[in-house]
Amino acid sequence: MLTSKARGTARKSVRAAILDAARRLYFAHGADGVSARKIAQAAGCSPTALYLYYRNIDDLLEHLRMEGHALLAGSLRRVDPALPAVEQVRAMGRAYYEFGMKHPHYYALMFSLRSTETPRREAVHREMQTLMLLRDVVRTGMDRREIRRDLDVMVATNALWAQIHGLTALAVSRLLMETAPGQQGEVLEAVLDGAARWLAP
């Protein structure tokens, strides 16, 4: 008979196997390719076992979505805090863009495919944690007089996010490759230059 500790370990193993199977299926086939039957087959468990660990497919995708946000947050946190605030904003913009290009499946899940199960306010609250990293840089920059102080912190933060997110979305969808072939890096730097000029005190 398994001990309670062994049962707990086994449950974690099955839960991880289910999430890993869902991740592989989503990356290979998109959200439409993720089903209980396919996940069970890939994870080596029964379809009903999935519902012992996750509410439904939307719940699984929500876990993958938050994995993406954690990866993005990790990329943004690696920006050197010793840099001047405007240079931190530039570096965060590059990190955001690079994340989207490196992880297009996560990016689409994070920003395009919304869960119908998770309340919108709850989802936004979780995702705001990533945006707050940029807000903190903007706020600190204002306090240090490295960023103009006539701006509202959240207006500035959202304006910066909108610029880099819009560009990254164009690149992830490959539209930018068609409109500016071979010049994506130059477009990115032009956007960051414009943001830096706007922020300058």
Side-chain angles (χ1 to χ4, degrees):
M1 181 178 292
L2 291 175
T3 65
S4 59
K5 182 177 180 180
R7 284 195 298 271
T9 300
R11 285 179 60 85
K12 288 180 181 178
S13 177
V14 174
R15 182 181 176 87
I18 290 171
L19 187 62
D20 182 60
R23 186 187 303 107
R24 285 185 279 112
L25 285 167
Y26 169 70
F27 282 8
H29 307 291
D32 291 340
V34 180
S35 69
R37 180 183 61 79
K38 291 178 180 178
I39 291 171
Q41 185 177 23
C45 64
S46 69
T48 55
L50 185 152
Y51 299 101
L52 297 175
Y53 302 93
Y54 299 94
R55 293 194 305 273
N56 48 36
I57 299 299
D58 270 348
D59 187 31
L60 267 168
L61 292 178
E62 181 66 14
H63 277 76
L64 294 180
R65 181 177 293 110
M66 297 319 297
E67 278 186 357
H69 278 286
L71 285 171
L72 175 57
S75 295
L76 298 182
R77 287 193 178 100
R78 284 192 286 275
V79 170
D80 186 355
L83 290 171
V86 171
E87 292 308 311
Q88 287 187 61
V89 170
R90 282 181 181 273
M92 282 184 153
R94 294 186 189 105
Y96 191 102
Y97 181 88
E98 289 167 6
F99 169 83
M101 299 307 294
K102 185 177 180 180
H103 302 288
H105 295 97
Y106 273 128
Y107 195 85
L109 187 59
M110 290 158 64
F111 298 113
S112 300
L113 301 171
R114 307 301 312 178
S115 169
T116 59
E117 292 289 325
T118 305
R120 179 66 179 166
R121 181 173 295 180
E122 179 185 341
V124 170
H125 177 73
R126 294 182 195 172
E127 295 160 4
M128 281 282 284
Q129 302 307 309
T130 307
L131 187 62
M132 293 305 98
L133 296 172
L134 176 59
R135 179 208 60 186
D136 291 346
V137 170
V138 172
R139 176 176 289 163
T140 300
M142 289 179 175
D143 291 342
R144 294 176 179 172
R145 300 183 183 277
E146 296 174 353
I147 289 177
R148 52 188 282 206
R149 303 182 71 185
D150 61 318
L151 297 171
D152 178 87
V153 172
M154 287 311 298
V155 169
T157 300
N158 278 279
L160 292 168
W161 175 52
Q163 291 177 66
I164 194 63
H165 175 69
L167 177 64
T168 304
L170 287 173
V172 170
S173 69
R174 305 198 68 79
L175 285 174
L176 188 63
M177 285 66 168
E178 296 178 15
T179 58
Q183 296 176 307
Q184 298 93 317
E186 293 173 56
V187 175
L188 171 62
E189 292 305 317
V191 168
L192 296 176
D193 285 346
R197 286 193 296 271
W198 180 62
L199 292 173

